[in-house]
Structure formats: structure tokens, C-alpha cells
Amino acid sequence: MENVEDVDDAGDVIRSNAPGSFPYSVLRERHPALIRRVRDAFPYDPERQRVLDAFLRESTDPAGVMEPLPADARDREQWEAWGSGEHVGGSWFDAPFLWAESYFYRRLLGAVGYYDAAGPWRGIDPFRPFKQAELRSPEAQAELTALDDLAQEPPESQARALLHGSLWGNRADLGFRLTANATDTSTTPLLADDSERLWSLLPPGAGNTVHVVADNAGRELVPDLLLIDHFLRHAHAERVVLQLKPHPYYVSDATPMDVIDALDHLKQAPGEAGNAGERLWHATSTGHLQLRTHPFSCAPLPYAAMPDDLKKSFGTATLTILKGDLNYRRLVGDQLRPPTTPFTALTSYFPSPVAALRTLKSDVIVGLDEKTQRIVDASEGPDWRTKGTHAVIQVRGDGHTARETHA
């Protein structure tokens, strides 16, 4: 693994210690709300409630000190390798934002008893009720019904709609709708669109292997699975490797159990959704769709610091597609750089051609042209980076320089 300091020295690492900033609001507002929501979602015993309340006080006070993992924690050595010796004992707000966020979720799992050697809460996903509710929402059902109309469109139109469905599924709470004309950017503005480049890297019938690094479960994972079904059905890929989190992480991040839930949900749906669910179930049982996990998926570090075995795995891919905001931050580095910094340069270390499908929900953004940056800065102010109303499809292909595109 690369030295983390070597990865971070190319830009200003984002921290949470500036009041009024987006990272500050995450630690001061989003995390407390999440702890309370988790606390109310299960009938935790008094001792578990006491631990959660103590964690709430510790992690949201700018003057609070980041406590270490228990001495007998099975992953304490792993977190020490990931930098806990540098940050534990200091302020949550002074640590790098990516590190503090990741450690928050590790500590939250500990607080609810997920890692207990024994007890009723061992291995219980504290976010499962939220994932299940989203998967079964009326909006999610309407999106599946829309597949029946989409199936009447030519394969090229289906491909465009499913790609954009996967992209905008990351903002499902903002009214994503899977339709054949989902490429209309008047209401879903793309700041960069390398989708043609993406498809050019996956010619049908070439025996391609596609890795998809999943983001959220529930209503976002379903469009990802539908895109994977299209890859396999139309021979854009002979094999798809779906990289998942080995355990719960970042509220709704997808685990293997979440994939099973989503596939079962699709199989039970009528029409085209049910057909897709059956195909995906079969593809998983035959090895054409493979589910994988790796501890580094939950690391508080950029992908530039990935271990050799994960690098080797990604190196077998014709194309690796990384979904969502967190994966984007880890791909290009959670640092403040000029938005015009080339995406291709920052991802040159990645061991395969790589594509990012990302709805903007944090400050990090690269790969824009100057005109696009000027327009969004002037028309919307700085919060266009964090409110989930803009997105990018950015691609870097080996041996080529993907153009930095714009809306």
C-alpha cells in the first residue's frame, strides 16, 4: 500500500473544522440526527442506549476527543494501519473529513453492538430498516413499472436510460424516475458526460469483464442491477464483478445481503422488472455476476492507497465503474483542487480503465472545463457541489486521454 502522506500532498485535504462548511455540518447536524434515528429504530437495552448517548456527545462536540477502539476489537490493528494512531486522541473536526466520517461509522457499529462477541445485536445491520423502507416505497415501485415501457424502446435507448438511471439513482430522494428519455439534462444537468466513451470501451461480444463498485442499497442498488442486467443481456460484458461493503457502512451502503434483498424484490415484481430479477439471479448462480467484498472498501483512505490484492483484482477489468459520491471522493482524493483539474490525470494510478457515475453531494469536483465552472458558480453559488442536483459521468480509458466534457 502506498504511503498515505504521498497520496494527500497534491491538494488541501478537506477537514471539518470550519464552521459553516459542508463537512462541519455533517459532523454537527447529520451525524447527531443519524445516531438518534438509529437509536429509535431498534429497542436497544438501557446500556446500549447509554453507549449511544455517550458517542453522540463525543463525536459532535468540536472540543471533544476521538476515542480509540476497544483494546480487544478484532479490527483495531487494521485501523491502526489506516492511521488511527495519528488521529485518535485528537478532535473529530481536525481529522481529515474522509477519515473522520469513516471512523464515525465504525464507532457507531461498535456502539450498537454489531461487533460484540455475543449478544442480541451482534451482526445486526442498524441501517436495515431504512434500506428496506426505501426499497418498498411507492416511488421505487413506480420506477419498476416504468421498465415495461422502456422495454419497448431500441437497445440503444434502453442503454442510455439505464445508465442515467444508475447515475441519478444516487439522488433517489429527489425524485429520480427511470424513463426512456432520462437523458434529458434540462432538469438533471450533467456537468460532464463521457457516456459515449464508456460504451465505446464495452463493445458487444468482446468477452469484457466489468467491475461495478456499488454505493447505496435500496432504491439506488436496483438501477445498478438493471444496468448490470443490460450489460450481460446485450453482451457488453461476459462477466460483471459487483464490489460491495463487507459490513454496514455510511447509512445505506450496499452489502451482499442488500443485493440478495434487491434481487428478491425484483424477482417478485411483475413484468420486465421480474424478468430482470430472474436473469440476474441466474447470472449470480452461474458466475456471470459475482459478488465480492474487501476490507479496503470500508477504509478511510483514497483508492490510490489500495492494497496490492485489490489492485490486482481491479486490474483484470475491461472497465471499472465506481458509483456515488463517496467512491468519487476516494477515487480522485478528498481534497480541494481547482474543478478544472483533469480527471484523467488524477485517476492515472487506477489499474484499469475507470468510470465515475456520481451525483454531487460533497465539495470535491474535478474534470470540468472553465466555462462550465463559471456558469454554475455564477448561477447557483457554492452549494451546487453539495445539494445533489448535478452529476458527472467521467471516464478514463487506458492508452487514451478521455476528453474533459461539459454540459
Side-chain angles (χ1 to χ4, degrees):
M1 187 172 72
E2 295 183 36
N3 185 290
V4 177
E5 294 181 357
D6 294 338
V7 176
D8 284 345
D9 63 3
D12 293 333
V13 176
I14 295 176
R15 303 178 190 274
S16 309
N17 52 11
S21 68
F22 175 75
Y24 185 88
S25 72
V26 169
L27 267 64
R28 284 285 283 173
E29 299 169 17
R30 184 179 300 180
H31 284 180
L34 176 60
I35 292 174
R36 296 186 185 102
R37 192 179 179 197
V38 167
R39 191 180 188 275
D40 293 340
F42 291 92
Y44 291 121
D45 56 81
E47 174 60 19
R48 195 59 55 199
Q49 294 180 41
R50 184 195 66 77
V51 173
L52 280 167
D53 291 343
F55 180 54
L56 173 63
R57 292 190 295 271
E58 173 202 329
S59 62
T60 59
D61 183 355
V65 174
M66 192 183 294
E67 298 292 339
L69 295 177
D72 60 350
R74 62 185 179 119
D75 57 346
R76 179 166 176 148
E77 184 176 337
Q78 179 67 84
W79 277 91
E80 288 174 351
W82 288 342
S84 62
E86 179 181 355
H87 305 299
V88 167
S91 167
W92 284 87
F93 290 75
D94 290 338
F97 181 40
L98 177 62
W99 207 97
E101 267 199 299
S102 298
Y103 191 61
F104 169 86
Y105 285 100
R106 168 58 186 88
R107 290 283 309 284
L108 180 57
L109 288 179
V112 298
Y114 183 88
Y115 290 112
D116 286 359
W121 307 111
R122 182 177 184 269
I124 299 295
D125 183 350
F127 312 126
R128 185 171 174 78
F130 318 141
K131 297 174 181 178
Q132 292 289 299
E134 186 180 89
L135 190 62
R136 297 166 180 162
S137 67
E139 294 83 2
Q141 295 302 318
E143 289 157 9
L144 294 186
T145 301
L147 287 172
D148 293 333
D149 292 334
L150 184 60
Q152 307 306 313
E153 298 290 328
E156 295 79 10
S157 298
Q158 294 181 37
R160 287 194 300 271
L162 291 168
L163 181 65
H164 281 252
S166 179
L167 170 68
W168 290 105
N170 188 236
R171 66 164 204 171
D173 57 328
L174 299 181
F176 158 73
R177 179 86 174 174
L178 181 61
T179 61
N181 64 352
T183 53
D184 175 13
T185 60
S186 61
T187 57
T188 55
L190 286 178
L191 301 180
D193 184 4
D194 281 334
S195 54
E196 291 183 10
R197 178 65 180 146
L198 184 152
W199 291 112
S200 74
L201 292 169
L202 300 176
N208 300 316
T209 296
V210 177
H211 285 227
V212 177
V213 183
D215 188 35
N216 293 324
R219 200 172 156 204
E220 178 178 354
L221 183 58
V222 168
D224 294 345
L225 290 169
L226 294 173
L227 179 62
I228 290 171
D229 175 58
H230 185 87
F231 286 157
L232 294 171
R233 189 182 183 192
H234 295 276
H236 292 287
E238 181 177 331
R239 180 180 66 151
V240 175
V241 177
L242 183 57
Q243 298 275 357
L244 302 153
K245 302 299 190 297
H247 54 72
Y249 189 61
Y250 274 64
V251 187
S252 57
D253 279 18
T255 67
M257 190 66 244
D258 296 322
V259 174
I260 302 306
D261 285 342
L263 290 179
D264 189 57
H265 180 69
L266 280 171
K267 284 177 60 183
Q268 295 182 44
E272 289 300 320
N275 294 337
E278 293 289 351
R279 288 192 297 266
L280 288 163
W281 192 276
H282 179 72
T284 306
S285 66
T286 59
H288 292 285
L289 173 57
Q290 300 180 9
L291 310 184
R292 290 187 189 173
T293 64
H294 194 284
F296 192 78
S297 296
C298 299
L301 304 175
Y303 280 108
M306 76 179 86
D308 290 340
D309 63 332
L310 185 58
K311 184 180 295 185
K312 183 178 179 180
S313 177
F314 283 135
T316 66
T318 307
L319 176 68
T320 299
I321 299 174
L322 290 94
K323 279 294 313 294
D325 195 81
L326 176 60
N327 280 322
Y328 188 89
R329 291 163 60 191
R330 297 186 69 195
L331 177 65
V332 302
D334 202 36
Q335 298 157 236
L336 290 176
R337 295 186 175 92
T340 54
T341 304
F343 174 83
T344 51
L346 291 178
T347 58
S348 61
Y349 71 88
F350 205 85
S352 71
V354 64
L357 305 185
R358 182 249 184 152
T359 304
L360 276 64
K361 295 182 178 179
S362 65
D363 290 313
V364 177
I365 181 65
V366 298
L368 305 187
D369 64 28
E370 293 182 1
K371 179 181 177 182
T372 299
Q373 182 190 350
R374 286 198 304 271
I375 289 173
V376 291
D377 280 341
S379 62
E380 302 189 38
D383 65 345
W384 62 267
R385 300 173 182 235
T386 60
K387 61 184 181 179
T389 56
H390 293 280
V392 294
I393 301 174
Q394 293 174 315
V395 178
R396 192 220 79 221
D398 283 357
H400 302 274
T401 301
R403 56 193 174 86
E404 304 295 341
T405 57
H406 58 281

